[in-house]
Amino acid sequence: MSATPPEPSPPAFPPPPAVPPYAPDGAPPAPGAWAHRSARLRVALLWRSRAVRMAAVFTLLALCGLVILVLVREQTGSTGFLVGLGLATLPVPLLLAAFRWLDRVDPLPWRNLVFAFAWGACAAALISLLANTLATRWIATATADPASADTLGATVVAPVVEESAKGVALLLLFLLRGREFTGVVDGIVLAGFTATGFAFTENILYLGNAFDEDMAFGFAGLGSVTAATFFVRIVMSPFAHPLFTVLCGLGFGLAAAAPRGRRVRRVLLPLLGLLAAMGMHALWNGSASLLGPWGFFGVYGAFMVPAFALLTWLTVWSRQRELRTIAARLPSYAAAGWLTATEPSALSSMRARAMARDFARRTYGPAAGRAVAEYEAFATSLAFLRNRAHRGAAGADFAERERELLHHLWLRREVAAPSLAYAARATGRAPQVLPHRDYDGFNPYRT
């Protein structure tokens, strides 16, 4: 039998300094120092600016939004568009709040969340609308059977096109924001924001068309097409698109958590997640197109609701696992002198973290409350970074990122340490002080 390979050992802990460490040295170059740069280099340096790149990306998304706005308004009319917009907005705050709640332990930057929602609502919706329309028309022309073309477009073309278009947002964030895309919860949250944006635009189209049909045929009240569409899309299944795309996000999240040397796993897991999202989407669309109303409700009750419950449980379990990771990794930094003994237990409790922020805000002022919130965020990132090092998933810049996070913690520890100590005592999470001999031979790398 072959021996079990040993667990990879992370780098040693740097000793805590007596003064704020890693202060930047040197002053920025004078403006005249850039005068000799060539035009090509100036453009390259300009593109390296994060503000310029973000402005370019969001300008592109805004253009996509204007185009999709014009296309939807042409199909629904001005009144239908406004009605669809108002009704489609109703579930959006609830869905976004639910996904943001899941992301409270290690919150993603707002720019990533805004990008994901904007991509779904603008770029993915525009790509899907154009591709679905062209594909369905081509099938209708090739088969001379428009009815079959609509059914095939809904059950085959739409799931492939729409899930691929939404998955592009996850792929871009996975490749370009890998330092902030670190695990399953991140994948689920980003997928949820992307799909919520997509469903928002799609619901405007469906509800606007339904209202336009009601106006044309004189339908009104609970028997109207608008009421039926609202019940199915907003009341019964506001989570449908997020549920599909979360499967793709789950694949990207597992790939992000995999060791960097496992390239096959990091490629296959997102593809499997995308295929699962397409399959569930096709089952959902096919239940209405092929099985009729009773088939739709059967698939909804027997498959969609249990799948939603299972993914909800998985997401909540993943969040609790993040808190357990904090409790397991931060004591090593406390033993090395970077944190106090009570901080790891307080930081691994959402109640204690909230209490520490509130205590700092009431005792020292609003700025102190923000400092404690930042301290908690940096400590959480440090615990996850250390955990990836234990699993062999940390990058070559591990030491640099660890020093940066420790620097931010050190600058805020004066107000954070007493606040977290208070929260640990108030919540009963203050650890028992053991005799010094119990710490002899303590191994900070042991999990």
Side-chain angles (χ1 to χ4, degrees), residues 398-419:
F398 168 82
E400 178 185 354
R401 295 174 62 190
E402 183 184 47
R403 285 196 300 270
E404 178 185 354
L405 291 169
L406 289 172
H407 170 60
H408 287 300
L409 290 177
W410 194 268
L411 294 178
R412 295 162 176 81
R413 66 180 300 177
E414 185 176 353
V415 64
S419 302

Side-chain angles (χ1 to χ4, degrees), residues 103 106-108 180-191 249 253 322:
D103 196 36
D106 185 26
L108 285 159
E180 300 158 355
F181 197 145
T182 58
V184 170
V185 174
D186 291 342
I188 290 174
V189 171
L190 290 171
E322 290 184 336

Side-chain angles (χ1 to χ4, degrees), residues 74-424:
E74 285 183 354
Q75 292 194 31
T76 62
S78 298
T79 305
F81 172 79
L82 293 176
V83 171
L85 176 63
L87 296 177
T89 304
L90 294 178
V92 172
L94 298 177
L95 291 171
L96 296 184
F99 284 111
R100 189 60 176 171
W101 176 83
L102 293 172
D103 196 36
R104 285 177 61 203
V105 177
D106 185 26
L108 285 159
W110 273 107
R111 62 177 179 273
N112 293 0
L113 300 177
V114 172
F115 168 79
F117 182 86
W119 180 276
C122 301
L126 179 60
I127 293 170
S128 300
L129 179 61
L130 296 177
N132 287 340
T133 302
L134 292 175
T136 302
R137 288 178 179 175
W138 181 83
I139 294 173
T141 303
T143 61
D145 188 355
S148 298
D150 290 338
T151 302
L152 189 62
T155 56
V156 177
V157 176
V160 173
V161 170
E162 293 175 8
E163 297 308 320
S164 298
K166 289 181 285 183
V168 171
L170 302 177
L171 177 63
L172 291 175
L173 292 168
F174 180 76
L175 295 177
L176 303 179
R177 289 287 182 265
R179 290 180 58 172
E180 300 158 355
F181 197 145
T182 58
V184 170
V185 174
D186 291 342
I188 290 174
V189 171
L190 290 171
F193 268 72
T194 305
T196 300
F198 182 89
F200 169 66
T201 302
E202 189 180 64
N203 285 337
I204 295 174
L205 179 62
Y206 277 90
L207 290 166
N209 283 333
F211 182 81
D212 187 57
E213 184 176 346
D214 288 336
M215 292 296 98
F217 292 97
F219 299 145
L222 296 178
S224 65
V225 180
T226 303
T229 305
F230 180 85
F231 177 75
V232 172
R233 298 190 67 86
I234 306 300
V235 178
M236 281 188 62
S237 57
F239 58 84
H241 271 290
L243 179 61
F244 308 148
T245 312
V246 157
L247 294 175
C248 185
L250 184 62
F252 275 103
L254 293 172
R260 292 181 177 269
R262 304 292 181 86
R263 295 191 176 184
V264 174
R265 184 185 302 181
R266 289 170 65 86
V267 172
L268 287 182
L269 287 173
L271 289 177
L272 291 175
L274 178 61
L275 291 175
M278 292 176 181
M280 182 174 286
H281 196 158
L283 176 65
W284 174 255
N285 287 2
S287 65
S289 302
L290 301 176
L291 303 179
W294 291 110
F296 169 79
F297 287 110
V299 170
Y300 179 85
F303 187 80
M304 295 294 291
V305 172
F308 176 74
L310 179 61
L311 282 175
T312 301
W313 171 85
L314 175 63
T315 305
V316 174
W317 177 85
S318 298
R319 197 182 100 145
Q320 293 302 117
R321 187 169 179 266
E322 290 184 336
L323 294 174
R324 291 194 295 270
T325 298
I326 295 173
R329 298 305 178 196
L330 287 186
S332 300
Y333 289 98
W338 284 98
L339 307 176
T340 64
T342 59
E343 289 180 32
S345 58
L347 289 165
S348 60
S349 165
M350 298 304 297
R351 180 179 171 220
R353 289 161 70 122
M355 189 174 292
R357 296 191 299 271
D358 183 65
F359 174 83
R361 190 180 304 110
R362 289 186 289 104
T363 307
Y364 307 112
R370 290 192 296 271
V372 173
E374 293 169 352
Y375 188 92
E376 293 171 350
F378 287 126
T380 301
S381 298
L382 182 65
F384 290 167
L385 178 66
R386 196 76 191 177
N387 191 55
R388 290 196 296 277
H390 273 269
R391 293 187 286 104
D397 61 344
F398 168 82
E400 178 185 354
R401 295 174 62 190
E402 183 184 47
R403 285 196 300 270
E404 178 185 354
L405 291 169
L406 289 172
H407 170 60
H408 287 300
L409 290 177
W410 194 268
L411 294 178
R412 295 162 176 81
R413 66 180 300 177
E414 185 176 353
V415 64
S419 302
L420 289 166
Y422 165 81

